[in-house]
Amino acid sequence: MELKGTIKLITEPTKVSDKLTKQQMVLTIDQDTKYPQNIAVEFMNKNIDILKKHQAGEKVSVGINLRGNEYNGKYYNNIVGWKV
């Protein structure tokens, strides 16, 4: 899947464990509508390097995967980026 929009912000990397580091890009989509949406896209491990080339205000197209899981009867979704 792909999301197109403008980068609102890129967070600092967060080390979750020895094997996992995450960083978020917040992408504003539907910017020219009455209700623009800010979508947080997570990048993990080696894909964090992709974000170094980009900055807030830039219009981009982001390749994403939707991931979901269940924990204690509740369901959680993640949007994971792999290409900008």
Side-chain angles (χ1 to χ4, degrees):
M1 297 180 77
E2 205 170 77
L3 284 177
K4 292 181 181 181
T6 304
I7 299 172
K8 182 172 183 168
L9 66 95
I10 298 174
T11 64
E12 292 296 318
T14 302
K15 188 168 182 151
V16 178
S17 69
D18 289 338
K19 296 181 180 181
L20 180 62
T21 302
K22 293 182 179 183
Q23 189 171 10
Q24 284 189 339
M25 168 195 286
V26 178
L27 194 65
T28 302
I29 62 171
D30 301 330
Q31 190 168 348
D32 298 328
T33 66
K34 187 175 180 181
Y35 302 105
Q37 300 295 308
N38 294 310
I39 308 294
V41 180
E42 285 186 333
F43 287 78
M44 294 186 246
N45 295 332
K46 66 179 181 177
N47 288 334
I48 288 173
D49 291 339
I50 296 168
L51 299 178
K52 292 177 183 176
K53 303 173 190 173
H54 301 282
Q55 59 187 354
E58 193 176 336
K59 290 186 182 288
V60 294
S61 178
V62 181
I64 63 165
N65 291 329
L66 297 177
R67 295 191 179 163
N69 62 1
E70 181 266 334
Y71 180 73
N72 288 338
K74 292 186 179 184
Y75 292 87
Y76 300 90
N77 299 309
N78 292 51
I79 301 171
V80 180
W82 53 271
K83 174 179 84 169
V84 179

Coordinates of all heavy atoms in Angstrom, one line a residue:
M1 N 0.8 -1.2 0.0 CA 0.0 0.0 0.0 C 0.9 1.2 0.0 O 2.1 1.2 0.3 CB -0.9 0.0 1.2 CG -1.9 -1.1 1.3 SD -2.9 -1.0 2.8 CE -4.0 0.3 2.3
E2 N 0.2 2.4 -0.3 CA 1.0 3.6 -0.4 C 0.2 4.8 0.2 O -1.0 4.8 0.0 CB 1.3 3.9 -1.8 CG 2.5 4.7 -2.0 CD 2.9 4.7 -3.5 OE1 2.3 5.4 -4.3 OE2 3.9 4.0 -3.8
L3 N 0.8 5.6 0.9 CA 0.2 6.9 1.4 C 1.0 8.0 0.8 O 2.2 8.0 0.8 CB 0.4 7.0 3.0 CG -0.5 6.1 3.9 CD1 -0.1 6.4 5.3 CD2 -2.0 6.5 3.7
K4 N 0.2 9.0 0.4 CA 0.8 10.3 -0.2 C 0.4 11.4 0.7 O -0.8 11.5 1.1 CB 0.3 10.5 -1.6 CG 0.9 9.4 -2.6 CD 0.4 9.7 -4.0 CE 1.0 8.6 -4.9 NZ 0.6 8.9 -6.3
G5 N 1.4 12.3 1.0 CA 1.1 13.4 1.8 C 2.3 14.3 2.1 O 3.3 14.1 1.4
T6 N 2.2 15.1 3.1 CA 3.3 16.0 3.5 C 3.8 15.6 4.9 O 3.0 15.4 5.8 CB 2.8 17.5 3.6 OG1 2.2 17.8 2.3 CG2 3.9 18.4 3.9
I7 N 5.1 15.5 5.0 CA 5.7 15.2 6.3 C 5.4 16.3 7.3 O 5.8 17.5 7.1 CB 7.2 14.9 6.2 CG1 7.5 13.8 5.2 CG2 7.8 14.7 7.6 CD1 9.0 13.6 4.9
K8 N 4.7 16.0 8.4 CA 4.5 16.9 9.5 C 5.7 17.0 10.4 O 6.1 18.0 10.8 CB 3.2 16.6 10.2 CG 2.9 17.6 11.3 CD 1.5 17.3 11.9 CE 1.2 18.4 12.9 NZ -0.2 18.3 13.3
L9 N 6.2 15.8 10.8 CA 7.3 15.7 11.7 C 7.9 14.3 11.6 O 7.3 13.4 11.2 CB 7.0 16.1 13.1 CG 6.0 15.2 13.9 CD1 6.8 14.2 14.8 CD2 5.2 16.0 14.9
I10 N 9.2 14.3 12.0 CA 9.9 13.0 12.2 C 10.4 13.0 13.6 O 11.2 13.9 14.0 CB 11.0 12.8 11.2 CG1 10.4 12.8 9.7 CG2 11.8 11.6 11.4 CD1 11.5 12.9 8.6
T11 N 10.1 11.9 14.4 CA 10.5 11.9 15.8 C 11.9 11.4 15.9 O 12.5 10.9 14.9 CB 9.6 10.9 16.6 OG1 9.7 9.6 16.0 CG2 8.1 11.3 16.5
E12 N 12.5 11.4 17.1 CA 13.8 10.9 17.3 C 13.7 9.4 17.4 O 12.6 8.8 17.8 CB 14.4 11.4 18.6 CG 14.7 12.9 18.6 CD 15.8 13.2 17.6 OE1 16.8 12.4 17.6 OE2 15.7 14.2 16.9
P13 N 14.7 8.6 17.1 CA 14.6 7.1 17.2 C 14.5 6.7 18.7 O 15.0 7.4 19.6 CB 16.0 6.7 16.6 CG 16.5 7.8 15.9 CD 15.9 9.1 16.5
T14 N 13.8 5.6 18.9 CA 13.6 5.1 20.2 C 14.1 3.6 20.2 O 13.6 2.8 19.4 CB 12.1 5.1 20.6 OG1 11.6 6.4 20.5 CG2 11.9 4.6 22.0
K15 N 15.0 3.3 21.1 CA 15.5 1.9 21.2 C 14.5 1.2 22.1 O 14.5 1.4 23.3 CB 16.9 1.9 21.7 CG 17.5 0.6 21.7 CD 19.0 0.6 21.9 CE 19.6 -0.8 21.8 NZ 20.9 -0.8 21.4
V16 N 13.8 0.2 21.6 CA 12.9 -0.6 22.3 C 13.6 -1.8 23.0 O 13.2 -2.1 24.1 CB 11.7 -1.1 21.4 CG1 10.8 -2.0 22.1 CG2 11.1 0.1 20.7
S17 N 14.5 -2.4 22.3 CA 15.3 -3.5 22.9 C 16.6 -3.6 22.1 O 16.9 -2.7 21.2 CB 14.5 -4.8 22.7 OG 14.5 -5.2 21.3
D18 N 17.4 -4.6 22.4 CA 18.7 -4.7 21.8 C 18.5 -4.9 20.3 O 19.4 -4.6 19.5 CB 19.5 -5.9 22.4 CG 20.0 -5.6 23.7 OD1 20.2 -4.4 24.1 OD2 20.3 -6.5 24.5
K19 N 17.4 -5.5 19.9 CA 17.2 -5.9 18.5 C 16.2 -5.0 17.8 O 15.9 -5.2 16.6 CB 16.7 -7.3 18.4 CG 17.7 -8.3 18.8 CD 17.2 -9.7 18.7 CE 18.3 -10.7 19.2 NZ 17.8 -12.1 19.0
L20 N 15.6 -4.0 18.5 CA 14.5 -3.2 17.9 C 14.7 -1.7 18.2 O 14.7 -1.3 19.4 CB 13.2 -3.7 18.4 CG 11.9 -3.0 17.8 CD1 11.9 -3.1 16.3 CD2 10.7 -3.5 18.4
T21 N 14.8 -0.9 17.1 CA 14.7 0.5 17.2 C 13.6 1.0 16.3 O 13.5 0.5 15.2 CB 16.1 1.1 16.8 OG1 17.1 0.6 17.6 CG2 16.1 2.6 17.0
K22 N 12.8 2.0 16.8 CA 11.7 2.5 16.1 C 11.8 4.0 15.9 O 12.4 4.7 16.8 CB 10.4 2.2 16.7 CG 10.0 0.8 16.8 CD 8.6 0.7 17.5 CE 8.1 -0.8 17.6 NZ 6.8 -0.8 18.2
Q23 N 11.3 4.5 14.8 CA 11.2 6.0 14.6 C 9.9 6.2 13.8 O 9.5 5.5 13.0 CB 12.4 6.5 13.8 CG 12.5 8.0 13.7 CD 13.8 8.4 13.1 OE1 14.6 7.6 12.6 NE2 14.1 9.7 13.2
Q24 N 9.2 7.3 14.2 CA 8.0 7.7 13.5 C 8.1 8.9 12.6 O 8.8 9.8 12.9 CB 6.9 8.0 14.5 CG 6.3 6.8 15.2 CD 5.1 7.1 16.0 OE1 4.9 8.3 16.4 NE2 4.3 6.1 16.3
M25 N 7.3 8.8 11.5 CA 7.1 9.9 10.6 C 5.6 10.2 10.7 O 4.8 9.3 10.5 CB 7.5 9.5 9.1 CG 7.0 10.6 8.1 SD 7.1 9.9 6.4 CE 8.8 10.0 6.1
V26 N 5.2 11.4 10.9 CA 3.8 11.8 10.9 C 3.6 12.4 9.6 O 4.2 13.4 9.2 CB 3.5 12.7 12.1 CG1 2.0 13.1 12.0 CG2 3.8 12.0 13.4
L27 N 2.6 11.8 8.9 CA 2.3 12.2 7.5 C 0.9 12.9 7.5 O 0.0 12.2 8.0 CB 2.3 11.0 6.6 CG 2.4 11.2 5.1 CD1 3.6 11.9 4.7 CD2 2.3 9.9 4.4
T28 N 0.8 14.1 6.9 CA -0.5 14.7 6.8 C -1.1 14.4 5.4 O -0.5 14.7 4.4 CB -0.4 16.2 7.0 OG1 0.1 16.5 8.3 CG2 -1.8 16.9 6.9
I29 N -2.2 13.7 5.4 CA -2.9 13.3 4.2 C -4.2 14.1 4.0 O -4.7 14.7 5.0 CB -3.1 11.8 4.0 CG1 -4.1 11.3 5.1 CG2 -1.8 11.0 4.1 CD1 -4.5 9.9 4.9
D30 N -4.7 14.2 2.9 CA -6.0 14.9 2.6 C -5.8 16.4 3.1 O -6.7 17.0 3.6 CB -7.2 14.3 3.3 CG -7.4 12.8 2.8 OD1 -7.1 12.5 1.7 OD2 -7.9 12.0 3.6
Q31 N -4.7 16.9 2.9 CA -4.3 18.2 3.4 C -5.2 19.4 2.8 O -5.5 20.3 3.5 CB -2.9 18.6 3.1 CG -2.3 19.8 3.8 CD -0.8 19.9 3.6 OE1 -0.2 18.9 3.2 NE2 -0.3 21.0 4.0
D32 N -5.7 19.2 1.6 CA -6.5 20.2 1.0 C -8.0 20.1 1.3 O -8.8 20.7 0.6 CB -6.2 20.3 -0.5 CG -4.8 20.6 -0.8 OD1 -4.2 21.4 0.0 OD2 -4.3 20.1 -1.8
T33 N -8.4 19.2 2.2 CA -9.8 19.0 2.5 C -10.1 19.7 3.9 O -9.2 20.2 4.6 CB -10.1 17.5 2.7 OG1 -9.4 17.0 3.8 CG2 -9.7 16.7 1.4
K34 N -11.4 19.6 4.2 CA -11.8 20.2 5.5 C -11.3 19.5 6.7 O -11.1 20.1 7.7 CB -13.3 20.2 5.5 CG -13.9 21.0 6.6 CD -15.5 21.0 6.5 CE -16.1 21.8 7.7 NZ -17.5 21.8 7.6
Y35 N -11.0 18.2 6.5 CA -10.6 17.4 7.6 C -9.3 16.6 7.3 O -9.3 15.4 7.0 CB -11.6 16.4 8.0 CG -12.9 17.0 8.4 CD1 -14.0 17.0 7.5 CD2 -13.1 17.7 9.6 CE1 -15.2 17.6 7.9 CE2 -14.2 18.3 10.0 CZ -15.3 18.3 9.1 OH -16.5 18.9 9.4
P36 N -8.1 17.3 7.3 CA -6.8 16.6 7.0 C -6.6 15.6 8.1 O -7.0 15.8 9.3 CB -5.8 17.7 7.0 CG -6.4 18.9 7.7 CD -7.9 18.7 7.5
Q37 N -5.9 14.5 7.8 CA -5.6 13.5 8.8 C -4.0 13.4 9.0 O -3.3 13.4 8.0 CB -6.1 12.1 8.3 CG -7.6 12.1 8.0 CD -8.3 12.3 9.3 OE1 -8.1 11.5 10.3 NE2 -9.3 13.2 9.4
N38 N -3.6 13.3 10.2 CA -2.2 13.0 10.6 C -2.0 11.6 10.9 O -2.6 11.1 11.9 CB -1.8 13.9 11.7 CG -1.8 15.4 11.4 OD1 -1.3 15.8 10.4 ND2 -2.5 16.2 12.2
I39 N -1.2 10.9 10.1 CA -1.0 9.4 10.2 C 0.4 9.2 10.6 O 1.3 9.6 10.0 CB -1.3 8.7 8.9 CG1 -2.7 9.1 8.3 CG2 -1.1 7.2 9.0 CD1 -3.9 8.7 9.1
A40 N 0.6 8.5 11.8 CA 1.9 8.1 12.2 C 2.3 6.8 11.6 O 1.6 5.8 11.6 CB 1.9 7.9 13.8
V41 N 3.5 6.8 10.9 CA 4.0 5.6 10.3 C 5.3 5.3 11.0 O 6.2 6.1 11.1 CB 4.3 5.9 8.8 CG1 4.9 4.7 8.1 CG2 3.0 6.4 8.1
E42 N 5.4 4.0 11.4 CA 6.6 3.6 12.1 C 7.6 3.0 11.1 O 7.3 2.3 10.2 CB 6.3 2.4 13.1 CG 5.6 2.9 14.3 CD 5.4 1.7 15.3 OE1 5.3 0.5 14.9 OE2 5.3 2.0 16.5
F43 N 8.9 3.3 11.3 CA 10.0 2.7 10.6 C 10.8 2.0 11.6 O 11.0 2.5 12.8 CB 10.8 3.8 9.9 CG 10.1 4.4 8.7 CD1 9.1 5.3 8.9 CD2 10.4 3.9 7.4 CE1 8.4 5.8 7.8 CE2 9.8 4.5 6.3 CZ 8.8 5.4 6.5
M44 N 11.3 0.8 11.3 CA 12.0 0.0 12.2 C 13.4 -0.4 11.7 O 13.6 -0.6 10.5 CB 11.3 -1.3 12.6 CG 10.0 -1.0 13.3 SD 9.2 -2.5 13.8 CE 7.7 -2.4 12.8
N45 N 14.4 -0.5 12.7 CA 15.7 -1.0 12.5 C 16.4 -0.3 11.3 O 16.5 0.9 11.2 CB 15.7 -2.5 12.4 CG 15.3 -3.1 13.8 OD1 15.6 -2.5 14.8 ND2 14.8 -4.3 13.7
K46 N 16.8 -1.1 10.3 CA 17.6 -0.5 9.1 C 16.7 0.5 8.3 O 17.3 1.3 7.7 CB 18.1 -1.6 8.2 CG 17.0 -2.4 7.5 CD 17.6 -3.5 6.7 CE 16.5 -4.2 5.9 NZ 17.0 -5.2 5.0
N47 N 15.4 0.4 8.3 CA 14.6 1.3 7.6 C 14.6 2.7 8.2 O 14.2 3.7 7.5 CB 13.2 0.8 7.4 CG 13.1 -0.4 6.5 OD1 13.9 -0.5 5.6 ND2 12.1 -1.2 6.7
I48 N 15.1 2.9 9.4 CA 15.2 4.2 10.0 C 16.1 5.1 9.1 O 15.9 6.3 9.0 CB 15.7 4.1 11.4 CG1 14.6 3.6 12.3 CG2 16.2 5.5 12.0 CD1 15.0 3.3 13.7
D49 N 17.1 4.5 8.5 CA 18.1 5.3 7.7 C 17.4 6.0 6.6 O 17.9 7.1 6.1 CB 19.2 4.4 7.1 CG 20.1 3.9 8.2 OD1 20.2 4.5 9.3 OD2 20.8 2.8 8.0
I50 N 16.3 5.5 6.1 CA 15.5 6.2 5.0 C 15.1 7.6 5.5 O 15.0 8.5 4.6 CB 14.3 5.3 4.7 CG1 14.7 4.0 4.1 CG2 13.3 6.1 3.7 CD1 13.5 3.0 4.0
L51 N 14.7 7.7 6.7 CA 14.2 9.0 7.2 C 15.2 10.1 7.3 O 14.9 11.3 7.3 CB 13.6 8.8 8.6 CG 12.4 7.8 8.6 CD1 11.8 7.7 10.1 CD2 11.3 8.3 7.7
K52 N 16.5 9.7 7.3 CA 17.6 10.7 7.4 C 17.6 11.7 6.2 O 18.1 12.8 6.3 CB 18.9 10.1 7.6 CG 19.1 9.4 8.9 CD 20.4 8.6 9.0 CE 20.5 7.9 10.3 NZ 21.7 7.1 10.4
K53 N 17.1 11.2 5.1 CA 17.1 12.0 3.8 C 15.9 12.9 3.7 O 15.8 13.7 2.7 CB 17.0 11.0 2.6 CG 18.1 10.0 2.6 CD 17.9 9.0 1.5 CE 18.9 7.8 1.6 NZ 18.6 6.8 0.6
H54 N 15.0 12.9 4.6 CA 13.8 13.7 4.5 C 13.6 14.6 5.7 O 14.1 14.4 6.8 CB 12.6 12.7 4.4 CG 12.7 11.8 3.2 ND1 12.4 12.2 1.9 CD2 13.1 10.5 3.1 CE1 12.6 11.2 1.1 NE2 13.1 10.2 1.8
Q55 N 12.7 15.6 5.5 CA 12.4 16.6 6.5 C 11.0 17.1 6.5 O 10.3 16.9 5.5 CB 13.4 17.8 6.4 CG 13.3 18.5 5.1 CD 14.4 19.6 4.9 OE1 15.1 19.8 5.9 NE2 14.4 20.2 3.8
A56 N 10.5 17.7 7.5 CA 9.2 18.3 7.6 C 8.9 19.2 6.5 O 9.8 20.0 6.1 CB 9.0 19.0 9.0
G57 N 7.6 19.2 6.0 CA 7.2 20.0 4.9 C 7.4 19.4 3.5 O 6.8 19.9 2.5
E58 N 8.1 18.3 3.4 CA 8.3 17.6 2.2 C 7.1 16.8 1.8 O 6.6 16.1 2.6 CB 9.6 16.8 2.3 CG 10.2 16.2 1.1 CD 11.5 15.5 1.4 OE1 12.1 15.7 2.4 OE2 11.8 14.6 0.6
K59 N 6.7 16.9 0.5 CA 5.7 16.0 0.0 C 6.3 14.7 -0.4 O 7.3 14.6 -1.2 CB 5.0 16.6 -1.2 CG 4.1 17.9 -0.8 CD 3.4 18.4 -2.0 CE 2.6 19.6 -1.7 NZ 1.4 19.4 -0.9
V60 N 5.7 13.6 0.0 CA 6.3 12.2 -0.2 C 5.2 11.2 -0.5 O 4.0 11.4 -0.2 CB 7.1 11.8 1.0 CG1 8.4 12.6 1.2 CG2 6.3 11.7 2.3
S61 N 5.6 10.1 -1.0 CA 4.8 8.9 -1.1 C 5.5 7.8 -0.3 O 6.7 7.6 -0.5 CB 4.7 8.5 -2.6 OG 4.0 7.3 -2.7
V62 N 4.8 7.2 0.6 CA 5.4 6.2 1.6 C 4.8 4.8 1.3 O 3.6 4.7 1.4 CB 5.1 6.7 3.0 CG1 5.7 5.7 4.0 CG2 5.6 8.1 3.3
G63 N 5.7 3.9 1.1 CA 5.2 2.5 1.0 C 5.0 1.9 2.4 O 5.9 2.1 3.3
I64 N 3.8 1.4 2.7 CA 3.5 0.9 4.0 C 2.9 -0.5 4.0 O 2.5 -1.0 3.0 CB 2.4 1.8 4.7 CG1 1.1 1.8 3.9 CG2 3.0 3.2 4.9 CD1 -0.1 2.4 4.7
N65 N 3.0 -1.2 5.2 CA 2.3 -2.4 5.4 C 1.4 -2.2 6.7 O 1.9 -1.5 7.6 CB 3.3 -3.5 5.7 CG 4.1 -4.0 4.5 OD1 3.6 -3.9 3.4 ND2 5.3 -4.4 4.7
L66 N 0.2 -2.7 6.7 CA -0.6 -2.7 7.8 C -0.4 -4.0 8.6 O -0.4 -5.1 8.1 CB -2.1 -2.6 7.4 CG -2.5 -1.3 6.7 CD1 -3.9 -1.4 6.2 CD2 -2.2 -0.1 7.5
R67 N -0.2 -3.8 9.9 CA 0.0 -5.0 10.8 C -1.0 -4.9 11.9 O -1.3 -3.8 12.4 CB 1.4 -5.0 11.3 CG 2.4 -5.3 10.2 CD 3.8 -5.6 10.7 NE 4.7 -5.8 9.6 CZ 6.0 -5.8 9.7 NH1 6.5 -5.5 10.9 NH2 6.7 -6.0 8.7
G68 N -1.4 -6.0 12.4 CA -2.4 -6.1 13.5 C -2.1 -7.3 14.4 O -1.6 -8.3 13.9
N69 N -2.4 -7.2 15.7 CA -2.3 -8.3 16.6 C -3.3 -8.2 17.7 O -4.0 -7.1 17.9 CB -0.9 -8.4 17.1 CG -0.5 -7.2 17.9 OD1 -1.2 -6.3 18.1 ND2 0.8 -7.3 18.4
E70 N -3.5 -9.3 18.4 CA -4.5 -9.4 19.5 C -3.7 -9.6 20.8 O -2.7 -10.4 20.8 CB -5.5 -10.5 19.2 CG -6.5 -10.7 20.3 CD -6.1 -11.7 21.4 OE1 -5.3 -12.6 21.1 OE2 -6.6 -11.6 22.5
Y71 N -4.0 -8.9 21.8 CA -3.4 -9.1 23.1 C -4.5 -9.0 24.2 O -5.1 -7.9 24.3 CB -2.3 -8.1 23.3 CG -1.6 -8.2 24.7 CD1 -0.7 -9.3 24.9 CD2 -1.8 -7.3 25.7 CE1 -0.1 -9.4 26.1 CE2 -1.2 -7.4 26.9 CZ -0.3 -8.5 27.1 OH 0.3 -8.6 28.3
N72 N -4.7 -10.0 25.0 CA -5.7 -10.0 26.0 C -7.1 -9.6 25.6 O -7.8 -8.8 26.2 CB -5.3 -9.2 27.2 CG -4.1 -9.8 28.0 OD1 -3.9 -11.0 28.0 ND2 -3.4 -9.0 28.7
G73 N -7.5 -10.0 24.4 CA -8.8 -9.7 23.9 C -9.0 -8.4 23.2 O -10.0 -8.0 22.8
K74 N -7.9 -7.6 23.2 CA -7.9 -6.3 22.5 C -7.1 -6.4 21.2 O -6.1 -7.1 21.2 CB -7.4 -5.2 23.4 CG -8.3 -4.9 24.6 CD -7.8 -3.8 25.4 CE -8.7 -3.5 26.5 NZ -8.3 -2.3 27.3
Y75 N -7.5 -5.6 20.2 CA -6.8 -5.6 18.9 C -6.1 -4.3 18.7 O -6.6 -3.3 19.0 CB -7.8 -5.9 17.8 CG -8.3 -7.3 17.9 CD1 -9.4 -7.6 18.7 CD2 -7.7 -8.4 17.3 CE1 -9.9 -8.9 18.9 CE2 -8.2 -9.7 17.4 CZ -9.3 -9.9 18.2 OH -9.7 -11.2 18.4
Y76 N -4.9 -4.4 18.2 CA -4.0 -3.3 17.9 C -3.5 -3.3 16.5 O -3.3 -4.4 15.9 CB -2.8 -3.4 18.9 CG -3.2 -3.4 20.3 CD1 -3.4 -4.5 21.0 CD2 -3.3 -2.2 21.0 CE1 -3.8 -4.5 22.3 CE2 -3.7 -2.1 22.3 CZ -3.9 -3.3 23.0 OH -4.3 -3.3 24.3
N77 N -3.4 -2.1 15.9 CA -2.9 -2.0 14.5 C -1.7 -1.1 14.5 O -1.6 -0.2 15.3 CB -4.0 -1.3 13.7 CG -5.3 -2.1 13.6 OD1 -5.2 -3.3 13.3 ND2 -6.4 -1.5 13.9
N78 N -0.8 -1.4 13.5 CA 0.4 -0.6 13.3 C 0.5 -0.3 11.8 O 0.2 -1.2 11.0 CB 1.6 -1.3 13.7 CG 1.7 -1.5 15.2 OD1 0.8 -2.0 15.9 ND2 2.8 -1.2 15.8
I79 N 1.0 0.8 11.5 CA 1.3 1.2 10.1 C 2.8 1.2 10.0 O 3.4 2.1 10.7 CB 0.7 2.5 9.7 CG1 -0.8 2.5 9.9 CG2 1.1 2.9 8.3 CD1 -1.5 3.8 9.7
V80 N 3.4 0.3 9.2 CA 4.9 0.2 9.2 C 5.3 0.6 7.8 O 4.9 0.1 6.8 CB 5.3 -1.3 9.5 CG1 6.8 -1.4 9.4 CG2 4.8 -1.7 10.9
G81 N 6.3 1.6 7.8 CA 6.8 2.1 6.5 C 8.1 1.3 6.1 O 8.8 0.9 7.0
W82 N 8.3 1.2 4.8 CA 9.5 0.5 4.3 C 10.1 1.2 3.2 O 11.2 0.9 2.7 CB 9.1 -0.9 4.0 CG 8.0 -1.1 3.0 CD1 6.6 -1.2 3.4 CD2 8.0 -1.1 1.6 NE1 5.9 -1.3 2.3 CE2 6.7 -1.3 1.2 CE3 9.0 -1.0 0.7 CZ2 6.3 -1.3 -0.2 CZ3 8.7 -1.1 -0.7 CH2 7.3 -1.2 -1.1
K83 N 9.4 2.3 2.6 CA 10.0 3.0 1.5 C 9.4 4.4 1.5 O 8.3 4.7 1.8 CB 9.6 2.3 0.2 CG 10.0 3.0 -1.1 CD 9.5 2.2 -2.3 CE 8.1 2.5 -2.6 NZ 7.6 2.0 -3.9
V84 N 10.3 5.4 1.1 CA 9.8 6.8 1.0 C 10.3 7.3 -0.4 O 11.4 7.1 -0.7 CB 10.3 7.7 2.1 CG1 9.9 9.2 1.8 CG2 9.9 7.3 3.4

